[in-house]
Amino acid sequence: MKNIGVILAGGSGRRLGSELPKQFIVIAGKTVLAHTLHTFEKHERIDEIILVVHKDYIKETEEIVRLEGFQKVKHIVPGGKERYHSTLAALNVYKDEPCHLIIHDAVRLLVTSRIIDHVIEALESHAACTAAIPSTDTILQSDTSRQFVDNIPDRSTLFQVQTPQGFHSDILTEAYNKALSDPEFFSTDDCGVVKRYLPETPIKITQGLPFNIKLTYKEDLSIIERLLLSELK
């Protein structure tokens, strides 16, 4: 089956305090989106790419793809209000073509070929997987008031979720079909949908990297830029 890179680029940048969505900010000479696409474009096992973007930025995205000469980008489609709407948009494009979906946040622009490799390799024997790193901090779980500690989970079993996350398309479609019939459906990521609605499906943890961070706050910009410039030297 084809390995499809699904790049979710529909964020607004509100937490960054930017007028432009984060994926269109220029860092180290390229837009965030271009940095991310470059890694997927050059990966030998990624067969094609679909971009899911805000409907108001379709033309800007098309121009980035044209100027950078990305040949694997086959679809640019609008997303929706919530993150899961973007996943659904990609699922709709490939509804008649069983494939492996490697879903990645466009604003994790430091993703490496090796991280993608781990996800693709996991999909050879598992229907769902996610990049993650072991938690190095103690995590507190609060009570319902969000003011007091209710539980301190064992850190040795805790991981910080990253992307890419990988799925057999039929499994992710089945999970979302069940989710969308649930009036109490909510989603933080695609693995969460599989875990909740197809609990019998094992989700493999694959190796992420600490620097595969998500551009979220202003403070992240200088960190990411230093890492990019270090890599380019």
Side-chain angles (χ1 to χ4, degrees):
M1 288 191 286
K2 284 184 179 179
N3 293 314
I4 310 298
V6 181
I7 309 301
L8 305 184
S12 65
R14 285 172 295 181
R15 282 180 289 182
L16 191 71
S18 169
E19 292 183 6
L20 270 179
K22 293 176 287 187
Q23 56 272 25
F24 298 109
I25 293 173
V26 174
I27 304 179
K30 290 182 182 291
T31 62
V32 168
L33 179 58
H35 281 295
T36 301
L37 281 174
H38 177 72
T39 304
F40 276 79
E41 173 81 17
K42 71 180 183 181
H43 197 287
E44 293 181 355
R45 298 184 68 184
I46 294 293
D47 297 298
E48 60 185 71
I49 298 168
I50 177 171
L51 279 167
V52 188
V53 302
H54 191 284
K55 61 182 177 61
D56 294 339
Y57 289 90
I58 296 285
K59 290 189 180 299
E60 286 84 348
T61 303
E62 290 173 341
E63 187 67 2
I64 289 170
V65 170
R66 184 187 69 81
L67 289 174
E68 296 286 344
F70 294 128
Q71 299 299 309
K72 290 184 179 179
V73 176
K74 305 301 181 185
H75 305 280
I76 301 174
V77 298
K81 182 180 178 181
E82 303 294 340
R83 184 187 188 281
Y84 74 86
H85 290 138
S86 294
T87 298
L88 289 171
L91 282 172
N92 186 58
V93 171
Y94 293 97
K95 61 185 178 182
D96 297 322
E97 181 182 354
C99 56
H100 292 164
L101 300 174
I102 294 88
I103 302 177
H104 186 66
D105 297 323
V107 292
R108 287 189 189 270
L109 64 163
L110 295 170
V111 65
T112 66
S113 293
R114 191 61 190 138
I115 294 174
I116 298 171
D117 274 337
H118 290 311
V119 171
I120 292 174
E121 289 163 7
L123 290 176
E124 294 173 1
S125 54
H126 298 84
C129 63
T130 182
I133 58 172
S135 177
T136 57
D137 297 317
T138 296
I139 304 296
L140 303 178
Q141 183 176 4
S142 75
D143 61 8
T144 54
S145 74
R146 299 173 65 89
Q147 298 182 63
F148 299 97
V149 174
D150 183 62
N151 185 35
I152 304 178
D154 179 1
R155 187 175 71 185
S156 68
T157 65
L158 299 180
F159 284 75
Q160 294 172 236
V161 174
Q162 300 183 340
T163 63
Q165 297 185 340
F167 306 91
H168 294 183
S169 58
D170 58 337
I171 289 296
L172 191 57
T173 298
E174 183 182 353
Y176 268 106
N177 285 342
K178 291 185 176 183
L180 294 173
S181 65
D182 179 1
E184 298 183 1
F185 168 59
F186 66 92
S187 170
T188 55
D189 73 343
D190 298 305
C191 278
V193 177
V194 172
K195 183 63 178 175
R196 183 173 183 184
Y197 296 99
L198 294 177
E200 70 282 4
T201 301
I203 301 172
K204 174 71 172 174
I205 298 172
T206 66
Q207 183 182 349
L209 287 170
F211 61 75
N212 182 29
I213 61 175
K214 186 176 182 181
L215 173 58
T216 305
Y217 301 106
K218 282 183 179 180
E219 293 78 9
D220 300 328
L221 286 168
S222 59
I223 297 170
I224 290 172
E225 185 170 34
R226 284 199 302 271
L227 288 167
L228 280 171
L229 291 174
S230 173
E231 180 182 285
L232 293 172
K233 287 179 182 179

